[in-house]
Structures are given as C-alpha cells and as structure tokens.
C-alpha cells in the first residue's frame, strides 16, 4: 500500500475482511450491550478494528501484518456476548482478566480462526493477562483497544446513555 489510507478506505477494508463477523446473529448481542461509556460493544469493536488498521498503516507495517487477521481479531476481541455491567451476583467481577478467553471460546464456536486471530483475541488484555501477544497483530489490537477504551470512557457523551433495546 503506497499512500496513506483514508477513513473511508479503512472502513471498506474492515467491512470486506469482517463481513461474516459483522453479519453474524450474535453481533446483535453486542449491539445491545454497553462497553465503555455510551459506546456499545459492537461500535467499540468496529472502532478497535479501524484504529488497528490505521496504526498499521501509519507505522508502515504492511509487510509485517496480515491485514485480514488483524481486522478479524479486532472485531472479535470482545466477543464475550454478555453485558458486563449487568447485575450478576459478581460473576463478571474479574471481567477485565477473563473476557479475552471467553471471547476466544465464543469466536471459535462461531468462526474459523487462524493462530494469529486466536492469539490476538486471547491476549489483547496484556498486561492484565500475564502472557503478551505472540504476533504483531495482537499488539496492534491491544493498543487500539486501550486507546479506544480510554477515549470512550473519558468522553463527555458517557453521561448521555440512551436505553438500548433488549
């Protein structure tokens, strides 16, 4: 890729390489669950995918990154399929430490994943999870997730949470 990608270029790449994931029935669960502030898990996953591609592009990593795996891992990194804010008698108390594994188990049930995708999903919460990602794609997903989560959590729109359909 010679020139820098535009936002529209990045959105098209995410849609192309993540079409099966974005169209899956379980994405409706992500659309009905808040992740950070007033951002749904679905919107957060798309933001992470777009930002991971943007980071790879701006850092000129195209010879070292598998683009489809990067996008698919980013879209599935929070595929835990529950709203961790719901009262659950403490079952999600360790969500930050455990949801990468839960997302991987769910993603393996619903999609065929390669080793890069599996590793990136399972280890995206490093250093909360003690083992770092094995592949560059995992570091990009992890960085994009932390940047997005911080931005979403500190956004003033977090105070304007509309009621989501159940």
């Amino acid at each position: 890729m010679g020139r820098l990608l535009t936002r529209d270029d990045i959105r098209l790449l995410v849609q192309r390489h993540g079409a099966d994931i974005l169209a899956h029935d379980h994405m409706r669960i992500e659309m009905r669950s808040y992740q950070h502030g007033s951002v749904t898990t679905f919107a957060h996953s798309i933001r992470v995918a777009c930002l991971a591609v943007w980071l790879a592009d701006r850092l000129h990593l195209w010879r070292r990154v598998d683009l489809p795996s990067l996008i698919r891992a980013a879209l599935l990194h929070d595929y835990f399929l529950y709203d961790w804010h719901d009262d659950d008698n403490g079952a999600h108390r360790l969500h930050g430490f455990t949801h990468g594994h839960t997302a991987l188990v769910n993603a393996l049930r619903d999609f065929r994943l390669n080793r890069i995708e599996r590793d990136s999903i399972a280890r995206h919460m490093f250093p909360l999870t003690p083992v770092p990602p094995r592949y560059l794609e995992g570091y990009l997903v992890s960085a994009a997730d932390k940047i997005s989560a911080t931005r979403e959590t500190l956004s003033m729109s977090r105070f304007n949470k509309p009621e989501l359909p159940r």
Side-chain angles (χ1 to χ4, degrees), residues 6-158:
T6 66
R7 285 183 182 195
D8 288 338
D9 294 334
I10 292 170
R11 284 188 194 112
L12 287 171
L13 287 169
V14 169
Q15 285 196 266
R16 180 185 319 143
H17 295 294
D20 62 323
I21 294 167
L22 295 169
H24 196 279
D25 284 345
H26 284 148
M27 282 295 155
R28 285 194 295 244
I29 297 169
E30 289 198 0
M31 291 175 189
R32 295 188 312 258
S33 302
Y34 281 115
Q35 178 65 338
H36 306 111
S38 62
V39 177
T40 64
T41 306
F42 182 77
H44 169 74
S45 297
I46 292 171
R47 288 175 180 200
V48 169
C50 290
L51 183 55
V53 172
W54 184 88
L55 289 169
D57 186 54
R58 294 319 190 262
L59 296 171
H60 306 287
L61 297 174
W62 294 124
R63 292 181 187 199
R64 300 185 58 207
V65 168
D66 176 31
L67 178 64
S69 295
L70 175 65
I71 291 170
R72 293 174 59 76
L75 289 173
L76 293 168
H77 81 282
D78 281 345
Y79 196 66
F80 43 82
L81 304 177
Y82 57 80
D83 189 331
W84 63 276
H85 302 93
D86 287 346
D87 184 22
D88 60 0
N89 293 321
H92 301 146
R93 182 176 44 245
L94 298 176
H95 171 80
F97 297 93
T98 61
H99 78 269
H101 174 74
T102 304
L104 177 60
V105 169
N106 290 338
L108 286 169
R109 181 195 61 221
D110 293 343
F111 305 100
R112 293 193 69 207
L113 304 177
N114 65 34
R115 69 189 192 293
I116 295 171
E117 295 160 354
R118 291 191 306 265
D119 184 80
S120 299
I121 295 165
R123 298 178 178 184
H124 80 273
M125 285 302 290
F126 179 78
L128 284 184
T129 53
V131 181
R134 184 174 294 143
Y135 304 99
L136 182 56
E137 293 83 356
Y139 282 98
L140 291 167
V141 170
S142 183
D145 181 42
K146 286 162 182 51
I147 292 166
S148 294
T150 301
R151 200 185 286 160
E152 294 160 6
T153 302
L154 298 179
S155 168
M156 291 305 287
S157 68
R158 74 185 181 280

